[in-house]
């Protein structure tokens, strides 16, 4: 099986490369090797490699910067995925594309299902939704994987920020009225690879949109509690800082955050036998997130 991974140096991309190397014929590229917003370059790369599956882990994920970098956000989150999807269609490949909880308004009671109405509240979510639509139109064999609250050993994320702050501060104020399922990048990679295997082994695949995220659902403040408990237990920090739960209004940001990012993972479990991410287990080696 030949797999092309874009965004290979990102949080999920690094995990994909680590899990796929030596197991498939792999072409893993990042933006310094392929600008996915360059349609001609994408077509040339795909036509030359002729992958069976393209996994697009490239994205403009700076949520607040996106409010100013509108053109760049749409170029990376909509146009790039569209180019990859068209190229996939041209060689008969499937495309697996990562999306986000930000496509929803974030005010629903309970978990969001794949069939729920989308209503993004900012440029990041709008550009990612545009990417979903573009991918679905351009390639018949597409899987759109929406996820949320991604963290991992690579790149910038909430776990790393908490560990950095916790090492120098005795008290921290963390938002407690936004809820979601933290999701380990390595488990997202594992889910994508499981889907890729299913595609390679079957002519009958239920293509479309799927949700993949972690359980149990928590607030950011509750997530921080678990991070610091793990860090103290594993001697990464000597003392847990005192945490104060604050409201979204008390921590204003340029882009609006969803108050509810809970994603239902029932469909992906039923279709591909992929279990929800056990994010607490992903913190068992918390030293890997330091530095």
């Amino acid at each position: 099986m030949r797999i092309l991974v874009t965004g290979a140096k990102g949080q999920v991309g690094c995990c994909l490369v680590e899990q796929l190397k030596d197991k498939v014929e792999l072409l893993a590229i990042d933006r310094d090797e392929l600008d996915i917003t360059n349609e001609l370059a994408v077509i040339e790369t795909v036509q030359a490699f002729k992958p069976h599956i393209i996994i697009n882990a490239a994205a403009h994920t700076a949520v607040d910067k996106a409010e100013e970098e509108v053109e760049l956000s749409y170029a990376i989150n909509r146009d790039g995925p569209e180019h990859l999807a068209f190229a996939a269609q041209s060689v008969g490949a499937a495309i697996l594309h990562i999306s986000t909880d930000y496509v929803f308004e974030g005010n629903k009671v309970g978990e969001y299902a794949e069939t729920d109405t989308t209503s993004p509240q900012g440029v990041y979510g709008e550009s990612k939704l545009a990417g979903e639509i573009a991918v679905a139109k351009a390639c018949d064999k597409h899987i759109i994987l929406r996820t949320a609250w991604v963290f991992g050993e690579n790149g910038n994320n909430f776990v790393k920020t908490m560990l950095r702050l916790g090492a120098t501060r005795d008290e921290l104020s963390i938002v407690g009225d936004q809820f979601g399922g933290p999701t380990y990048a390595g488990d997202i990679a594992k889910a994508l690879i499981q889907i890729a295997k299913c595609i390679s082994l079957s002519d009958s695949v239920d293509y479309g949109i799927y949700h993949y995220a972690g359980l149990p659902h928590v607030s950011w403040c509750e997530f921080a509690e678990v991070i610091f408990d793990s860090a103290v237990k594993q001697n990464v920090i000597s003392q847990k800082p005192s945490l104060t739960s604050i409201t979204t209004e008390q921590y204003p940001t340029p882009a609006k955050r969803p108050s509810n990012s809970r994603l239902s993972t029932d469909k992906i479990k039923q279709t591909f036998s992929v279990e929800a991410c056990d994010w607490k287990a992903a913190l068992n080696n918390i030293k890997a997130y330091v530095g």
Side-chain angles (χ1 to χ4, degrees):
M1 181 164 54
R2 287 189 302 277
I3 296 182
L4 167 62
V5 173
T6 58
K9 294 179 182 177
Q11 287 197 90
V12 178
C14 283
C15 296
L16 282 165
V17 173
E18 183 64 29
Q19 293 179 33
L20 286 169
K21 67 180 183 181
D22 304 324
K23 295 178 182 176
V24 299
E25 191 175 341
L26 177 65
L27 177 59
I29 49 184
D30 206 73
R31 59 186 172 189
D32 53 347
E33 298 153 302
L34 175 65
D35 177 4
I36 65 169
T37 69
N38 183 330
E39 184 176 9
L40 183 59
V42 169
I43 291 171
E44 289 177 348
T45 299
V46 172
Q47 291 282 356
F49 185 59
K50 290 185 170 55
H52 298 110
I53 293 172
I54 296 173
I55 304 179
N56 180 36
H60 185 283
T61 58
V63 176
D64 289 325
K65 281 187 178 180
E67 294 300 309
E68 297 178 358
E69 300 173 344
V70 178
E71 191 172 324
L72 180 64
S73 296
Y74 274 91
I76 298 172
N77 293 341
R78 177 195 61 195
D79 302 342
E82 182 176 42
H83 300 331
L84 289 165
F86 270 122
Q89 182 78 3
S90 74
V91 297
I95 183 167
L96 280 54
H97 173 66
I98 301 172
S99 193
T100 174
D101 58 296
Y102 276 74
V103 300
F104 295 114
E105 186 172 356
N107 60 358
K108 178 183 176 178
V109 175
E111 298 177 341
Y112 275 100
E114 289 81 354
T115 52
D116 282 327
T117 302
T118 54
S119 182
Q121 298 297 294
V123 172
Y124 171 64
E126 289 167 353
S127 64
K128 290 295 289 183
L129 179 59
E132 288 187 10
I133 294 167
V135 166
K137 285 183 178 178
C139 185
D140 296 331
K141 296 192 287 187
H142 65 270
I143 297 286
I144 292 162
L145 192 74
R146 293 177 182 149
T147 189
W149 293 26
V150 181
F151 70 94
E153 297 88 348
N154 304 288
N156 299 315
N157 54 66
F158 185 75
V159 174
K160 287 189 171 186
T161 299
M162 289 300 101
L163 292 175
R164 187 177 67 251
L165 294 175
T168 58
R169 298 191 190 177
D170 296 327
E171 299 179 2
L172 290 171
S173 296
I174 311 293
V175 172
D177 60 355
Q178 296 172 18
F179 296 88
T183 315
Y184 175 53
D187 287 340
I188 297 172
K190 194 180 297 182
L192 288 164
I193 292 168
Q194 173 66 15
I195 293 170
K197 286 178 181 176
C198 291
I199 291 171
S200 70
L201 295 171
S202 175
D203 293 328
S204 178
V205 176
D206 188 7
Y207 290 103
I209 298 172
Y210 289 85
H211 289 171
Y212 181 74
L215 288 174
H217 294 134
V218 288
S219 69
W220 287 111
C221 190
E222 290 167 335
F223 187 18
E225 292 272 5
V226 178
I227 293 167
F228 289 126
D229 286 341
S230 299
V232 171
K233 185 177 180 180
Q234 296 172 51
N235 298 314
V236 171
I237 57 175
S238 58
Q239 187 175 342
K240 178 181 176 180
S242 173
L243 300 184
T244 300
S245 177
I246 61 173
T247 66
T248 299
E249 289 181 352
Q250 290 174 288
Y251 189 74
T253 55
K256 183 181 178 182
R257 266 67 174 169
S259 60
N260 178 18
S261 291
R262 301 177 183 93
L263 300 178
S264 170
T265 54
D266 291 344
K267 183 183 176 184
I268 196 169
K269 180 179 179 179
Q270 293 165 2
T271 307
F272 295 111
S273 299
V274 172
E275 298 284 346
C277 166
D278 180 359
W279 59 267
K280 289 185 178 180
L283 296 175
N284 286 340
N285 183 25
I286 206 160
K287 290 180 180 178
Y289 301 88
V290 180

